[in-house]
Amino acid sequence: MKRFSLRFMLMTVSIILTFSICQAQLSPTFYDQSCPNALSKIRSSIRTAIARERRMAPSLIRMHFHDCFVHTFVNVWGCDASILLEGTSTIESERDALPNFKSVRGFEVIDKAKSEVEKVCPGIVSCADIIAVAARDASEYVGGPKWAVKVGRRDSTTAFKALANSGEVPGFKDNLDQLSGLFSKKGLNTRDLVALSGAHTIGQSQCFLFRDRLYENSSDIDAGFASTRKRRCPTVGSDGNLAALDLVTPNSFDNNYYKNLMQKKGLLVTDQVLFGSGASTDGIVSEYSRNRSKFAADFATAMIKMGDIEPLTASTGEIRRICSFVN
């Protein structure tokens, strides 16, 4: 038993040291010498895409989240652009995993940004970094916070569809304990959970993801809100019909999401579990509903932490020439 405990402790220390080293190798100035125009090229490309379709902003933020969360501490890295890989004879694409299928969007936007960067710095900037920078630029464009993105990630040489299907990404019916446990596994705390959930202040969701919440006649949903939402989400069919996550300010990155939760107007189960019936997160939701600046600051901090989830660095992985295929 003692030998097992010692081995477990040593393995844990090794994981922590590896995680710390990976974090240390990321820096906002990583491309300052090798590709000084990289971030401005990405920014320009992302802003053009969102100007064309505002919904692309939340889609790019969500892509970064789904890319980082498919991760374990053993041979599966986070924030590695594995979500971008298309299926081949040897790769099962994460795009086809249940949490992502016909849901995660913006692949063509990342491809365009990559092509623009490749014109000035071929083979230098990773697709994983482009996803991370795109999420920041998307937030800023729609009025959300901005932050110094740490870069220096490398791209994975495979994808992890089975892992993406195994609960590494939050399910749309997860309760608060499940969400908290999953975030904790990624090194993120309860405040990070509530702050990152605030990305649902903008964007849309498909009917099948919130239908049950509308028709269960639960006490945690406002009756008028449910009635309004039912108009485009009947009990049967119309699974793909879209509804704004925030009815009041659907196209702005603000703190109205938290005000909605306090009025029992969270669209998804995973939204509303953050507030009500004495939830441990009630206080944070209430704080963010009153203080938009605090929410913005905590969101930026949480996005930086999420971007640190054990990336590939140094000589591991590769720098893909085309984001959807390995070299």
Side-chain angles (χ1 to χ4, degrees):
M1 186 69 178
K2 289 182 178 179
R3 289 180 179 177
F4 175 79
S5 299
L6 179 58
R7 285 198 301 269
F8 180 79
M9 289 174 63
L10 289 172
M11 183 175 70
T12 303
V13 170
S14 176
I15 288 171
I16 292 172
L17 287 174
T18 301
F19 189 39
S20 299
I21 290 169
C22 287
Q23 286 181 299
Q25 291 174 335
L26 299 182
S27 166
T29 61
F30 185 86
Y31 294 118
D32 281 7
Q33 300 301 318
S34 60
C35 188
N37 295 323
L39 300 192
S40 62
K41 285 288 184 182
I42 297 170
R43 183 174 186 269
S44 177
S45 188
I46 297 306
R47 291 176 69 87
T48 297
I50 299 173
R52 188 180 304 118
E53 183 195 5
R54 199 169 180 85
R55 184 188 169 205
M56 189 54 65
S59 295
L60 292 171
I61 294 171
R62 185 167 181 261
M63 178 189 287
H64 185 36
F65 180 91
H66 281 230
D67 186 43
C68 291
F69 261 59
V70 177
H71 150 268
T72 68
F73 282 108
V74 182
N75 298 326
V76 181
W77 296 267
C79 309
D80 60 358
S82 58
I83 197 170
L84 300 179
L85 290 173
E86 293 186 14
T88 67
S89 60
T90 58
I91 291 176
E92 288 191 286
S93 176
E94 289 175 33
R95 298 188 188 198
D96 299 327
L98 290 176
N100 302 331
F101 185 64
K102 294 184 178 180
S103 173
V104 172
R105 327 168 48 247
F107 299 109
E108 74 286 355
V109 175
I110 300 300
D111 287 342
K112 177 62 175 175
K114 173 68 169 176
S115 69
E116 292 301 311
V117 173
E118 285 290 298
K119 291 176 183 177
V120 293
C121 305
I124 299 295
V125 180
S126 70
C127 301
D129 277 342
I130 292 174
I131 294 176
V133 174
R136 186 273 310 277
D137 293 342
S139 171
E140 181 184 7
Y141 188 88
V142 293
K146 60 180 178 180
W147 55 93
V149 180
K150 292 191 284 184
V151 289
R153 299 170 189 81
R154 289 170 65 84
D155 301 322
S156 71
T157 54
T158 191
F160 308 98
K161 179 184 176 182
L163 193 62
N165 277 328
S166 68
E168 289 300 309
V169 177
F172 63 93
K173 289 187 175 182
D174 283 358
N175 61 39
L176 184 55
D177 286 341
Q178 290 171 317
L179 291 171
S180 298
L182 180 57
F183 273 65
S184 179
K185 280 174 56 180
K186 311 299 179 184
L188 301 169
N189 59 34
T190 302
R191 184 167 286 270
D192 298 325
L193 162 62
V194 180
L196 289 173
S197 297
H200 285 180
T201 187
I202 188 170
Q204 302 179 73
S205 181
Q206 298 180 69
C207 168
F208 80 93
L209 295 172
F210 58 85
R211 175 186 284 119
D212 287 350
R213 173 161 162 73
L214 300 182
Y215 291 96
E216 285 176 349
N217 297 316
S218 173
S219 61
D220 70 347
I221 187 168
D222 177 82
F225 172 78
S227 179
T228 298
R229 297 301 195 158
K230 287 177 181 178
R231 294 171 191 165
R232 284 188 50 77
C233 189
T235 54
V236 179
S238 303
D239 286 2
N241 278 6
L242 296 173
L245 289 158
D246 172 13
L247 267 176
V248 182
T249 55
N251 294 312
S252 297
F253 199 111
D254 54 28
N255 63 335
N256 204 69
Y257 167 80
Y258 300 103
K259 298 175 183 178
N260 292 339
L261 299 186
M262 296 182 71
Q263 297 170 20
K264 299 183 180 181
K265 295 179 180 180
L267 185 61
L268 304 178
V269 169
T270 49
D271 293 326
Q272 196 59 56
V273 295
L274 300 178
F275 187 87
S277 303
S280 60
T281 49
D282 282 2
I284 304 174
V285 170
S286 179
E287 178 185 12
Y288 290 163
S289 74
R290 299 188 308 269
N291 192 333
R292 180 175 176 175
S293 296
K294 178 60 175 171
F295 159 53
D298 285 357
F299 181 84
T301 296
M303 288 294 284
I304 293 171
K305 288 177 66 176
M306 186 180 75
D308 282 341
I309 297 177
E310 203 176 15
L312 291 163
T313 57
S315 60
T316 55
E318 66 179 13
I319 304 297
R320 290 185 213 142
R321 293 187 293 272
I322 299 174
C323 287
S324 52
F325 296 98
V326 298
N327 292 342

